[in-house]
Amino acid sequence: MKIEQLKWMDEQGWTSSPSGKLEKSAQLVLMFGSTNILKEKKHYDEIKSFYPAAHILGCSTAGEIMDAQVSDDTLVVTAVYFEHTQLQCAQIKIDEMKNSFQAGEQLEASLEKDGLIHVFVLSDGHKVNGSELVKGLTKNLPSQVSVTGGLAGDGSRFKQTLVCLDNFTDDPNIAVIGFYGTRLKIGYGSMGGWDSFGPDRLITRSKENVLYELDGQSALELYKKYLGDQAAGLPATGLLFPLSIRFNLDETKVGLVRTILAVNEEEQSMTFAGDVPEGAYARLMKANFDRLVDGAIGAANTSYKAIGSVSPDLAILISCVGRKLLLQQRIEEEVESVREVLGDNTVITGFYSYGEISPFSPSAKCELHNQTMTITTFLEI
């Protein structure tokens, strides 16, 4: 595998240029940038001119990751040449689908299964129920095929997210890339680092990813009570206090974390990135700075061990915007900690998201997560 990276910044333009070595051979270009930058077609056209033979997959973000640095309002480009791996791509427009589950099913059906080892997915982060997307995408996949990816971001604005594959578009999209070959090793891991507080409350009224009532009371009012003065900043301030969702009160079970995407004052409802099913239990969570960084280290170790405890060629880091808002000036600590685990020879790219898609570990099923650091590692042998 051969890789090179470029970065575009508003004042400086391209801070590095293509080496020329991968111009004709790169099969894949990953492109992560702010919504405003991605809405300018000229950037896509430039990248296509750099790597005319490559599939270009990208999305808008809440922050871009390159090496051990985190930046805002930039465009990070990673071009990859695989020596022993084949790719197949597919995408759909969300508005043409009945629901997120159907969208996942259709994307899965579009991929050839013979030789498929991994699916990487990027989805619009504003109009998609990530839990249902994952269920549809994994329903009929062979058990040995892993799935990772994430939901596009839009900073803390929550207005518009973008996903593009091989064309420039403003339409809400979901795109996947299938990886094929016997010499590609894939590792993945996903961990959080949040602390639960307050009582467990029964979800008494919800519909898919929309929450109405906890313990028979307005969920939004209860949530505002906990947030206090910060309630005025919803939904953005909700990133600081996600919900832990569990299906029973067994403290040994790891709960799924859910982050708010929108609130509806008229309906007294909150919309989350993934399902909040009736009959489950919800509990508020708050940040523990050291444990957030430890979570990133844990995800790195899991993805590292999954490929034989050797440095991968490439690592895609997808971390939640809520972690970024909390860590603030310490944000690069979690990326630096990943670098220390994976080694100096690994090329790192990624973004801050509205949701992360991955199993917790190689033995777990794929889920939508919020407020985690999710890492996918690639190694050709």
Side-chain angles (χ1 to χ4, degrees), residues 56 79 86 105 130 182 221 224 230 234 238 243 301 311 332:
I56 301 175
Q86 291 74 49
E105 277 192 312
T182 59
E221 286 304 311
K224 286 181 176 180
Q230 296 189 72
L234 284 170
L243 290 183
N301 278 319
S311 291
E332 290 188 349

Side-chain angles (χ1 to χ4, degrees), residues 13 16 52 77 113 148 153 182-183 193 205 215 264 318 336 361:
S16 54
V77 174
K113 304 304 183 298
T148 62
T182 59
R183 298 181 63 176
R205 184 178 168 223
D215 289 341
N264 187 314
I318 303 179
E336 290 166 353
S361 63

Side-chain angles (χ1 to χ4, degrees), residues 341-375:
V341 173
L342 300 183
D344 293 336
N345 294 327
T346 301
V347 176
I348 293 177
T349 188
F351 65 98
Y352 283 82
S353 73
Y354 284 176
E356 306 81 58
I357 294 171
S358 174
F360 274 118
S361 63
S363 60
K365 71 174 183 177
C366 187
E367 303 267 15
L368 173 83
H369 308 283
N370 293 126
Q371 308 289 18
T372 65
M373 165 66 84
T374 292
I375 301 172

